[in-house]
Structures are given as C-alpha cells and as structure tokens.
C-alpha cells in the first residue's frame, strides 16, 4: 500500500440483475490484479441469492439494499411509453411510466450504496459495473487520504447531464459554472462531511427527479 493510505480501502459496486452482476464481477476481478484491494457489492436480494449459487466470485463483502428486488422490478417494465410520436427524452420524462419509477429507485439505491460502503471502509472507490481496471487504483485512493473527502473526474463542458435541471432549481441554486462529476469512478473518504454529502445527494436527487421526471 502507498504510504498515504491509512486504513481499509475497497472498490465498491452497485449491481442488480444477472448482466450487471457479470460486469461488476469482471471489474472487481480486474481491480484485484494490481493492488489486492477488497471488493464490495451492494445489490438487491434477488441478485444476492443468485450470487450465493456461484462457486466463487470476487466480492469480499455483499450487502443487500433494503431487501428489495430492484432488478426484477425494472426488467418487468417497459423501458419507455408506448407512444412512438414522443421522443426518447419525452418518454423517459413520463413520470407515470413504471420503468421510470423503477429506474429512479435504482439510482437512489446506488447513492445509498456509498453510505453502506462507508460503514465498512475508510476509503471507498465507487465504481460503475462496466468499468475495467487497467492500472493501480492507489493514486485515486490517495486523492482523498487527506484534505478532500471526495475525488472524481469532471464531466466535459457541454456534456453535462443535469445542468439544465439544476439551473431551474430554486432550492439547490447550483451555479451554471459548477463542475459536474462523472460518477463512473468516485473516491470517498469515510468522514462526517462525506456522509453529509451522501445525505444531501439523496435529498437533491429526490427533489430534482420530481421536478424533471428523471
């Protein structure tokens, strides 16, 4: 381990359903090749049951989010509304669409996965299931060993996902020049400020999802 790292460090994945689990397993295995970091999976009860049937897997800790079956719920719905005259964006903004509601619950569960990880580790590297690790992750972990409690790669200007929604939000008042995080890989240090940020993220996501339909 690098000298800057004090405590427990792990890669953390939120994955539900067979395809997402397969991707996360591949990513977790790739991360262990370089640093031997522990790997944690946060999932739903249905996916956890599938994982228990496997002879082996790369996860050192498996945590179940509220015992729900998010994957089954999402896969049982139509991804978009039936009216072909609507654009894809308009279909996804249909707040009554059961797929949209299921997707919102999935996204909120991914945010909660950070809080779950911080109950177990001093530094949690939240990774998208479709990431693949090609080199050491210790530099990313060192970025939050002192000072900042969160480190991320910013989204390129003009490619933000939520800039227009945030600009319309009177409650959150995020300035237009604020940097949006690419949440595919985010390093979190277990600290009061980071746990407070997760709580604020959940509240903001709920508010903004209600306002935008996403």
């Amino acid at each position: 381990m690098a000298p800057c790292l004090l405590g427990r460090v792990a890669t953390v994945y939120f994955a539900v359903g067979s395809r997402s689990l397969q991707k996360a397993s591949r990513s977790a295995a790739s991360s262990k090749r370089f640093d031997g970091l522990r790997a944690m999976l946060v999932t739903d009860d249905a996916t956890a049951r599938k994982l228990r049937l496997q002879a082996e897997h790369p996860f050192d800790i498996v945590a179940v989010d509220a015992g729900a079956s998010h994957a089954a719920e999402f896969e049982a719905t139509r991804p978009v509304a039936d009216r072909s005259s609507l654009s894809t964006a308009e279909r996804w903004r249909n707040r009554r669409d059961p797929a949209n509601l299921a997707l919102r619950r999935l996204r909120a569960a991914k945010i909660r996965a950070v809080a779950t990880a911080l109950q177990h580790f001093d530094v949690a590297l939240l990774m998208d299931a479709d990431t693949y690790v090609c080199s050491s992750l210790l530099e990313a972990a060192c970025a939050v060993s002192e000072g900042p409690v969160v480190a991320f790669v910013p989204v390129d200007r003009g490619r933000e996902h939520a800039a227009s929604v945030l600009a319309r939000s009177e409650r959150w008042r995020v300035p237009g020049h604020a940097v949006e995080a690419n949440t595919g890989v985010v390093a979190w240090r277990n600290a009061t400020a980071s746990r407070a940020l997760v709580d604020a993220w959940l509240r903001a996501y709920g508010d903004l999802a209600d306002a935008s339909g996403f």
Side-chain angles (χ1 to χ4, degrees), residues 177-197:
H177 62 269
V179 175
E180 183 173 320
N182 182 332
T183 57
V185 179
V186 182
W188 295 80
R189 174 157 54 91
N190 191 350
T192 301
S194 56
R195 293 190 294 273
L197 178 58

Side-chain angles (χ1 to χ4, degrees), residues 22-88:
Q22 185 178 24
K23 292 177 182 178
S25 297
R26 181 172 178 263
S27 180
S30 72
S31 71
K32 288 176 175 286
R33 292 166 43 216
F34 297 98
D35 307 311
L37 299 180
R38 301 189 76 190
M40 179 180 188
L41 174 70
V42 182
T43 187
D44 62 3
D45 59 353
T47 308
R49 287 196 298 270
K50 292 179 181 179
L51 193 65
R52 286 194 288 269
L53 297 176
Q54 296 184 10
E56 59 181 29
H57 59 75
F59 302 108
D60 301 286
I61 297 179
V62 177
V64 175
D65 176 70
S69 291
H70 305 297
E73 179 187 24
F74 183 64
E75 291 171 0
T77 62
R78 286 185 175 274
V80 294
D82 292 328
R83 292 175 55 191
S84 58
S85 61
L86 298 176
S87 69
T88 300

Side-chain angles (χ1 to χ4, degrees), residues 2 4 6-8 15 22-23 25 31 35 38 53-54 56 71 89 106 110 120 152 157-158 174 193-194 198 209 214:
C4 68
L6 301 173
R8 302 155 298 167
Q22 185 178 24
K23 292 177 182 178
S25 297
S31 71
D35 307 311
R38 301 189 76 190
L53 297 176
Q54 296 184 10
E56 59 181 29
L106 277 174
K110 180 179 178 180
H120 295 269
F152 57 86
R157 285 297 180 189
V174 177
S194 56
V198 174
F214 278 103

Side-chain angles (χ1 to χ4, degrees), residues 15-214:
V16 295
S18 298
R19 286 183 295 179
S20 182
L21 176 61
Q22 185 178 24
K23 292 177 182 178
S25 297
R26 181 172 178 263
S27 180
S30 72
S31 71
K32 288 176 175 286
R33 292 166 43 216
F34 297 98
D35 307 311
L37 299 180
R38 301 189 76 190
M40 179 180 188
L41 174 70
V42 182
T43 187
D44 62 3
D45 59 353
T47 308
R49 287 196 298 270
K50 292 179 181 179
L51 193 65
R52 286 194 288 269
L53 297 176
Q54 296 184 10
E56 59 181 29
H57 59 75
F59 302 108
D60 301 286
I61 297 179
V62 177
V64 175
D65 176 70
S69 291
H70 305 297
E73 179 187 24
F74 183 64
E75 291 171 0
T77 62
R78 286 185 175 274
V80 294
D82 292 328
R83 292 175 55 191
S84 58
S85 61
L86 298 176
S87 69
T88 300
E90 288 171 330
R91 292 170 181 174
W92 278 117
R93 287 189 176 94
N94 178 358
R95 300 173 191 177
R96 294 184 297 275
D97 191 308
N100 294 359
L101 297 175
L103 182 59
R104 286 171 60 175
R105 284 189 280 272
L106 277 174
R107 287 173 170 165
K110 180 179 178 180
I111 299 171
R112 291 195 300 271
V114 179
T116 301
L118 294 179
Q119 295 174 9
H120 295 269
F121 300 104
D122 299 304
V123 175
L125 300 171
L126 184 68
M127 314 273 287
D128 272 359
D130 59 358
T131 56
Y132 188 82
V133 180
C134 299
S135 61
S136 173
L137 293 170
L138 293 184
E139 184 177 354
C142 283
V144 295
S145 63
E146 295 181 7
V149 297
V150 180
F152 57 86
V153 175
V155 174
D156 292 338
R157 285 297 180 189
R159 302 187 65 182
E160 293 92 344
H161 300 285
S164 60
V165 175
L166 291 170
R168 295 194 301 269
S169 172
E170 294 184 2
R171 176 178 180 181
W172 296 98
R173 298 185 182 279
V174 177
H177 62 269
V179 175
E180 183 173 320
N182 182 332
T183 57
V185 179
V186 182
W188 295 80
R189 174 157 54 91
N190 191 350
T192 301
S194 56
R195 293 190 294 273
L197 178 58
V198 174
D199 291 340
W201 188 5
L202 271 171
R203 293 196 306 273
Y205 178 70
D207 287 348
L208 296 170
D210 288 340
S212 68
F214 278 103

